[in-house]
Amino acid sequence: HIFSLQIVYGLSLVEKPMKSTLIICALPEELAAVEAVLNTECEAQVISQQLGFSVRKFNKLNNVFYTLLSGMGPINASARLTLVLNQIQIDDVLLLGVAGGLTEKTSIGDLVISTAVYQHDYYSSLESGDFRMRSGELILSSEQGRAHD
């Protein structure tokens, strides 16, 4: 399954050489598969001792690749990405497995390219009612909700 990752990188490297890429994986199995493809010595760089996480740095194909285990969900991925970006200059970010899926037709490591995306947490529930949000919006008050509709 991870062979498709090599194809993606092959295409990207031909079109535009990468300087540094952070590869964020939701599950340990995904991280292990990515690091097996990178297959070079790496060094750990602590990002947060308090939270107990680090990235691994790989030098491969005249580029620097960092790997990070985020856990499942966009909140985990975005929180850890923010902390990494505060310490390391990253040119490209590749998210693997962070979106999740609900089908028995795919397995961990499969490359899935979506044609549509559904956001499951697109309602803001307030005392004055529920307001549907578009992607990227955050409605925290009734005034915002009424102005939105």
Side-chain angles (χ1 to χ4, degrees):
H1 291 92
I2 199 63
F3 64 88
S4 38
L5 179 66
Q6 293 171 322
I7 294 170
V8 170
Y9 277 119
L11 292 174
S12 295
L13 290 172
V14 170
E15 294 173 11
K16 173 188 156 207
M18 290 183 278
K19 295 175 186 167
S20 64
T21 301
L22 174 64
I23 304 171
I24 302 174
C25 301
L27 299 175
E29 297 88 344
E30 295 160 342
L31 182 67
V34 167
E35 290 180 348
V37 169
L38 293 173
N39 194 25
T40 60
E41 289 186 28
C42 66
E43 62 183 73
Q45 182 173 340
V46 175
I47 299 299
S48 172
Q49 282 191 326
Q50 184 179 16
L51 297 175
F53 83 91
S54 60
V55 294
R56 290 190 180 133
K57 179 181 177 182
F58 296 82
N59 293 303
K60 185 158 180 130
L61 303 173
N62 296 320
N63 293 280
V64 177
F65 295 91
Y66 295 91
T67 59
L68 171 64
L69 180 64
S70 68
M72 291 188 283
I75 302 299
N76 287 331
S78 64
R80 290 189 179 226
L81 173 61
T82 300
L83 292 170
V84 169
L85 292 177
N86 282 326
Q87 294 185 36
I88 303 172
Q89 173 64 42
I90 301 292
D91 297 305
D92 297 306
V93 177
L94 180 62
L95 295 168
L96 300 178
V98 174
L102 299 173
T103 179
E104 295 178 4
K105 295 179 182 179
T106 58
S107 300
I108 291 175
D110 286 351
L111 177 64
V112 177
I113 300 173
S114 65
T115 56
V117 177
Y118 296 94
Q119 183 175 341
H120 69 85
D121 55 353
Y122 67 106
Y123 276 98
S124 177
S125 295
L126 303 170
E127 288 181 16
S128 58
D130 293 334
F131 301 95
R132 185 174 173 194
M133 297 181 287
R134 291 183 277 279
S135 182
E137 292 181 325
L138 182 59
I139 298 174
L140 299 175
S141 70
S142 300
E143 293 77 30
Q144 287 178 312
R146 283 190 291 278
H148 177 287
D149 292 337

